[in-house]
C-alpha cells in the first residue's frame, strides 16, 4: 500500500514532554509534577451536575445555555468590575485548553505574511502547537528571571511584531507563578493594537492569588474590548479539571468569528456540565476556601526551599512554585529528587528558557506536602542531594 501522507505540522510538534527521568523508587512517592490538585470538587457543584441529567440526551450547542453565559458575565462584573454583554462578549468552552488550541484558526492565514503566534517561554506548550496545526508559526519569546518572567511586546523588533497575528499572555503564569498589574496589561494592549495583533490572555489561574487579586486584561481595556480575548476556566478555580468547562470573553467581532467556527469542532460541553458550571460561577466562597488550602501548602513549602538555600523566583500566584536547580541542572536535580520519591517537573519541559529551573505543583494535600518536605530536608541534611 502506498504510504498515507502525514501533516508536516504534526511531525514538527515534538512529543509532549516525556524526557526519560528515572522512575521513583518503590514506596511512598510525592507527585508534584501535574497541575491537577487532589482537593474534591465542591458538593454543590457535583449535585448541580447530577440534577441536570435529563432522561433524553440531546446535542449541546456551541453558544451554550444563556444562564451559563449570564453567570460568567455576572462573575466578571463582581470579580473584575467589568460589564459585558453575555450574548455578544461571552462564549463557553470545554475548558480553556481546547479554546486556546483552536483560537489560531480564526486569525492565522496559512499562506499569509502575518502568521506568527507570539507566546512567552517557558510557558504552556499549547500556544505554539495550536499555531502550528492552524498552519501558522510558533514564535516563542524568551522570558527571564531578571524581568520577573514578564513578557514585553514593546521590546520586540518591529519586524517580529509585523509578522504576528496573535500574541498569548498568561498571568498568573504557568510555570513560574509570576504576576502582572493592570498597567502592564495596558502596555501590551497598546502595542498589540498598534500592530493589529489579537491579544489573547489565558487567565485560568487568576483566582489563585495570595497577596492581591490578580487583574484581568479586560480591566485594562477600559470598556473597549476591540482586539482582545480572555480565556477563563473552572478547572483551577473550582477544582473541576474533569468537567472541562471555561469561557472565552472579549471583542464581539472575534467572538462572532469563534461562534461561526466552534459549531464545527464538536467541543460543546454537555448541558449537565454547563449546569454545574453555572452553579460554580455563581459562588465565590468555595473559591476563597480553595485559595486558603493552597496558601497553607505554600506556607509549608516556600520557607523550606529558602531555608535549604534554593532560589525561589516568581511563585507569587498559581499553585506552582518555581525554583532554580542547584548547578543550573534541572534534569539532574529532578532525578535526584525522584530517587527520594519526590516527583517534580524540570523547567525545560516548558520550552526554551526553562532549563535550569524546576516547577513544583502543589497538588498533594497539606499533610503530604509536610511529609514530602520532611523527606527532602532529611536528604539535604544527609548530603544526599546535589548542592
Ligand atoms: C497555562 C494554562 N492554560 C490553560 C490550561 C488548560 O486548563 P483547562 O483546559 O483545564 O481549563 C492549563 C492547564 O494546566 C494551563 O496551565
Amino acid at each position: 500500500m502506498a504510504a498515507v501522507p502525514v501533516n508536516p505540522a504534526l511531525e514538527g510538534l515534538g512529543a509532549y514532554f516525556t524526557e526519560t527521568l528515572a522512575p521513583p523508587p518503590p514506596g511512598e512517592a510525592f507527585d508534584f509534577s501535574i497541575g491537577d490538585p487532589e482537593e474534591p470538587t465542591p458538593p454543590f457543584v457535583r449535585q448541580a451536575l447530577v440534577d441536570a441529567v435529563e432522561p433524553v440526551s440531546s446535542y449541546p450547542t456551541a453558544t451554550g445555555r444563556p444562564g451559563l453565559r449570564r453567570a460568567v458575565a455576572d462573575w466578571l462584573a463582581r470579580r473584575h468590575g467589568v460589564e459585558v454583554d453575555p450574548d455578544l462578549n461571552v462564549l463557553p468552552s470545554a475548558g480553556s485548553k481546547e479554546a486556546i488550541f483552536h483560537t489560531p484558526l480564526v486569525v492565522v492565514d496559512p499562506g499569509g505574511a502575518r502568521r506568527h503566534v507570539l507566546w512567552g517561554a517557558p510557558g504552556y506548550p499549547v500556544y505554539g502547537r495550536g499555531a502550528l496545526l492552524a498552519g501558522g508559526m510558533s514564535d516563542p519569546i524568551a522570558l527571564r528571571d531578571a524581568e520577573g518572567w514578564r513578557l514585553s511586546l514593546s521590546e520586540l523588533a518591529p519586524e517580529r511584531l509585523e509578522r504576528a497575528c496573535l500574541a498569548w499572555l498568561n498571568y498568573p503564569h504557568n510555570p513560574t507563578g509570576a504576576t502582572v498589574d493592570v498597567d502592564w496589561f495596558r502596555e501590551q494592549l497598546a502595542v498589540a493594537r498598534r500592530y493589529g495583533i489579537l491579544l489573547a490572555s489565558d487567565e485560568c489561574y487568576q483566582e489563585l492569588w495570595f497577596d492581591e487579586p490578580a487583574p484581568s486584561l479586560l480591566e485594562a481595556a477600559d470598556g473597549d474590548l476591540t482586539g482582545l480575548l480572555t480565556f477563563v476556566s473552572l478547572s483551577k478555580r473550582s477544582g473541576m479539571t474533569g468537567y472541562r468547562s471555561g469561557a472565552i470573553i472579549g471583542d464581539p467581532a472575534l467572538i462572532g468569528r469563534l461562534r461561526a467556527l466552534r459549531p464545527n469542532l464538536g467541543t460543546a460541553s454537555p448541558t449537565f456540565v454547563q449546569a454545574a458550571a453555572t452553579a460554580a460561577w455563581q459562588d465565590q466562597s468555595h473559591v476563597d476556601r480553595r485559595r486558603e488550602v493552597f496558601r497553607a501548602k505554600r506556607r509549608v513549602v516556600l520557607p523550606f526551599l529558602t531555608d535549604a538555600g534554593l532560589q525561589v523566583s516568581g511563585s507569587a500566584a498559581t499553585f506552582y512554585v518555581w525554583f532554580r536547580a542547584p548547578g543550573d541542572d534541572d534534569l539532574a536535580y529532578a532525578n535526584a529528587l525522584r530517587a527520594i520519591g519526590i516527583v517534580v517537573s524540570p523547567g525545560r519541559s516548558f520550552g526554551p528558557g526553562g532549563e535550569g529551573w524546576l516547577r513544583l505543583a502543589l497538588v498533594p494535600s497539606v499533610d503530604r506536602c509536610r511529609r514530602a518536605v520532611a523527606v527532602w530536608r532529611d536528604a539535604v541534611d544527609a548530603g544526599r542531594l546535589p548542592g
Side-chain angles (χ1 to χ4, degrees), residues 74-305:
D74 288 348
W75 163 81
L76 191 66
R78 277 197 321 272
R79 169 69 173 82
H80 292 291
V82 175
E83 301 284 341
V84 294
D85 181 321
D87 297 330
L88 297 179
N89 301 114
V90 181
L91 259 191
S93 64
S96 45
K97 182 176 192 172
E98 65 83 9
I100 291 166
F101 181 80
H102 289 123
T103 293
L105 292 172
V106 302
V107 284
V108 168
D109 171 0
R114 294 185 52 205
R115 59 196 168 100
H116 285 232
V117 173
L118 300 163
W119 57 283
Y124 189 53
V126 180
Y127 310 126
R129 291 167 186 203
L132 290 171
L133 280 160
M137 302 288 288
S138 166
D139 194 356
I141 303 166
L143 305 180
R144 281 183 288 273
D145 178 29
E147 276 122 43
W149 308 102
R150 290 178 172 204
L151 174 157
S152 180
L153 290 177
S154 61
E155 279 169 25
L156 300 183
E159 309 81 81
R160 201 161 170 197
L161 291 161
E162 279 158 9
R163 66 188 187 203
C165 56
L166 168 60
W168 285 103
L169 310 176
N170 168 225
Y171 295 91
H173 184 231
N174 176 15
T176 67
T179 52
V180 293
D181 54 25
V182 182
D183 283 341
W184 176 88
F185 274 126
R186 278 203 186 92
E187 285 164 31
Q188 311 317 310
L189 188 55
V191 178
R193 283 185 173 159
R194 200 174 320 133
Y195 285 86
I197 297 170
L198 161 57
L199 194 62
S201 182
D202 172 0
E203 301 183 354
C204 69
Y205 293 101
Q206 81 201 124
E207 300 270 38
L208 289 171
W209 50 267
F210 300 101
D211 301 324
E212 280 180 41
S216 167
L217 169 63
L218 295 163
E219 292 173 45
D222 297 320
D224 174 9
L225 304 186
T226 313
L228 67 91
L229 292 172
T230 61
F231 295 72
V232 295
S233 170
L234 291 172
S235 291
K236 325 286 175 178
R237 174 189 186 273
S238 299
M240 292 173 64
T241 49
Y243 286 61
R244 312 312 301 132
S245 186
I248 313 168
I249 311 166
D251 183 334
L254 292 165
I255 291 285
R257 288 194 214 176
L258 287 163
R259 203 184 290 116
L261 167 78
R262 292 177 58 78
N264 297 291
L265 305 179
T267 51
S269 297
T271 46
F272 40 85
V273 168
Q274 294 187 47
T278 305
W281 286 116
Q282 285 168 340
D283 181 78
Q284 199 66 23
S285 57
H286 73 284
V287 181
D288 297 338
R289 284 195 296 277
R290 263 176 82 74
R291 183 179 308 113
E292 292 316 306
V293 172
F294 290 110
R295 196 192 300 278
K297 297 182 188 184
R298 288 165 61 82
R299 286 206 183 110
V300 172
V301 172
L302 285 168
F304 158 71
L305 292 175

